[in-house]
């Protein structure tokens, strides 16, 4: 039990980082139900964690084409490799408001998204996590 306080402190730090990092972090199970919804996603989507956790990503965000997203997720679950969605392929995965409308001339947040496998201690992939990066500034520079 000597290591418990340090481990607890590290766990607390990890939770704090996940909630406050300037990156969207979303965990989906194999049925595409939302398991984790961090502070970035709350702020940008306007959807609270308690309203989305346990819900299908396709029910919460009907703008996501289900067949297309399943194709993107297949190699993550089947092969354990990453999959990528750039704003050039699709401007956004989650239709989020642009939080800097004065400095940015966009109606929504452009996004780069990485789908990452999450392995259990036995190596099985039962979930994936999405990392969502705000690419609006890059997109606006490229579009002009």
């Amino acid at each position: 039990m000597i290591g418990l306080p340090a481990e607890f402190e590290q766990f607390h730090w990890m939770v704090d980082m996940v909630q406050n990092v300037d990156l969207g972090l979303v965990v989906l199970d194999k049925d595409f139900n939302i398991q984790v919804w961090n502070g970035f996603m709350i702020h940008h989507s306007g959807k609270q964690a308690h309203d989305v956790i346990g819900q299908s990503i396709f029910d919460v965000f009907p703008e996501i084409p289900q067949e297309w997203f399943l194709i993107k997720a297949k190699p993550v679950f089947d092969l354990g490799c990453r999959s990528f969605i750039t704003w050039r392929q699709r401007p956004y995965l989650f239709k989020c408001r642009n939080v800097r409308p004065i400095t940015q001339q966009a109606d929504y947040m452009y996004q780069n998204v990485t789908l990452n496998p999450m392995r259990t201690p036995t190596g099985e992939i039962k979930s994936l996590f999405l990392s969502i990066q705000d690419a609006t500034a890059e997109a606006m520079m490229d579009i002009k």
Side-chain angles (χ1 to χ4, degrees), residues 48-144:
Q48 296 298 313
H50 64 269
D51 292 329
V52 301
I53 291 182
Q55 302 294 315
S56 167
I57 191 173
F58 305 114
D59 291 340
V60 177
F61 291 93
E63 69 268 16
I64 299 174
Q66 187 168 348
E67 282 186 43
W68 169 82
F69 189 77
L70 295 177
I71 291 168
K72 286 297 206 177
K74 187 170 176 42
V76 180
F77 284 119
D78 293 352
L79 304 173
C81 61
R82 290 179 172 177
S83 183
F84 303 92
I85 303 165
T86 69
W87 68 266
R88 285 182 176 94
Q89 293 172 310
R90 179 175 167 82
Y92 57 83
L93 182 61
F94 301 99
K95 188 161 188 179
C96 296
R97 65 189 189 279
N98 178 15
V99 296
R100 294 175 261 180
I102 295 172
T103 58
Q104 309 267 348
Q105 300 300 314
D107 295 331
Y108 50 82
M109 177 198 301
Y110 286 77
Q111 299 160 8
N112 289 327
V113 181
T114 304
L115 290 76
N116 304 276
M118 294 185 74
R119 297 185 190 279
T120 65
T122 60
E124 190 177 355
I125 301 168
K126 291 187 176 181
S127 303
L128 64 79
F129 80 90
L130 305 169
S131 55
I132 301 98
Q133 177 187 19
D134 182 349
T136 309
E138 174 190 350
M140 290 297 95
M141 288 179 63
D142 197 56
I143 291 171
K144 289 183 180 182

Side-chain angles (χ1 to χ4, degrees), residues 37 39-49 51-52 61 95-97:
W37 190 254
F40 178 97
M41 294 304 295
I42 293 168
H43 175 70
H44 292 283
S45 74
K47 297 181 187 299
Q48 296 298 313
D51 292 329
V52 301
F61 291 93
K95 188 161 188 179
C96 296
R97 65 189 189 279

Side-chain angles (χ1 to χ4, degrees), residues 23-36:
L23 191 70
L25 297 174
V26 178
V27 175
L28 303 175
D29 64 18
K30 278 196 166 188
D31 294 323
F32 299 94
N33 294 316
I34 299 167
Q35 303 300 307
V36 172

